Amino acid sequence: MQLVIKNGKVFIDQTFKNVDVFVKDGLIEKILPSEQQELGNCIKVVDATGCYVFPGFIDSHVHFNDPGREEWEGFETGSEAAAAGGMTTILDMPLNSSPSVVNTKILDEKKKHLQTRSTIDFGLWAGITADNVRNKEELKLMRDNGIVGFKAFLSESGISDFACLSKEQLKEAMLISKKLGTVLALHAEENEQIQMYTTALIENNRVDRQAFLESRPLKAEFAAIKHALSLIEQTKASVHFVHVSSSEAIELIFQYKEQGYDVTVEVCPHYLLFSDQDFLQKGPILKCAPPLRDLETIEKLWGCIEKGWVDTIGSDHSPCLYSMKEVGEENIWKAWGGIQGVQFAFSFFLGKAINRDVPLEVVLPLMTENIGKRFGLKNKGSIKVGKDADLTIFNPYEKYMVTKSDILFRNKYSPYENRETTGKIVTTIVRGNIVYDQRKEHEGKKIGLEINYI
């Protein structure tokens, strides 16, 4: 299919240009100034007048729970929602599919299961856990089978077959990741602190929402990240810290990066858009780990983004049945922790950035090029001749409020429901295929391919 995207402001080489993007055989064939009306034999023209044309968004942190827990989400609905959120590629975590991806057999079965189920392109993470960290041959086989990298938890994951690493095992995980040349993604909260606070709170019959906030303080996150960084000094491992909510930790990670260590940091939109007060008001629907923070911390996180200390934005889309949230209304410990956000997170983040006068040139690489470079997505993340024609068209002027009928998740709820923003995804294009168009009924074409890392 030949396609041209005309009349948009296109983000190329860290700036916006009035150019037209020509697509052939799924790749960007040429980029010409808009005044050059050379449409040739294009089959389809997309008019992007009044809109920005971005590189397709990449979300390196989603849990689509497929296979095994499709009733929580699944790739079919998850990828459709992601396409409506401007995503052209997602990287799926090794949990909460069931079983978790912790060996080659499970990885192979997941790959086969996902064929023809995704609307957009995808890659797969594998897990390093307390149970497989010493099985170097199995970890190597997973690496050779084309994973993005390894994911590990430093606190309990909430999934029985994904045991968190001890401090000693973390060093082992770093050493094997270094040897295999892979990125190690860390959920970094200190397990000992969390267990101590949680036990004391439960013993005092605390089941309220504030109790959950108190069980996972900022200092537990900072301590885990500080320890991990000390091990990186010894191992020289490549580590990506996910969903960091502590500005002090982000600054420390940045200092290590400046010293030449291979470390990066992700922040999730919900830590920038929702506060602890929102959680206290709305309850389990906003329960996540680490928990939402206070307004002062949120301001500091935005400061980290403006200073260039944050590398990537990821949704950490972690869905579940609504009943798994509802059960925590009277006892917060019973609620599943995770936020359904992949459809709305990036557009609301962009809207807030624009509202705060944070330049798009600063935030867009966190959602596109930085992720492509970090995780070896050589044909993704930027608009250049010869790269995949992955494009996200965004109208920065359109105001909209999320209604339940807008939600494409399998389970029709989201903390973004009834929230308003300015700026909306208009069209999403994956390798030249229009997979989402707000002006037409969502077709949900299953053209997504697994990315080959070998």
Side-chain angles (χ1 to χ4, degrees), residues 264-280:
T264 48
V265 60
E266 167 196 272
V267 173
C268 302
H270 46 263
Y271 295 116
L272 300 160
L273 300 169
F274 298 97
S275 72
D276 56 353
Q277 296 304 308
D278 292 316
F279 168 68
L280 293 175

Side-chain angles (χ1 to χ4, degrees), residues 82-106:
M87 311 296 178
T88 56
T89 305
I90 57 92
L91 306 182
D92 189 56
M93 286 295 174
L95 73 168
N96 308 313
S97 54
S98 182
S100 296
V101 181
V102 292
N103 62 49
T104 310
K105 181 176 182 295
I106 297 170

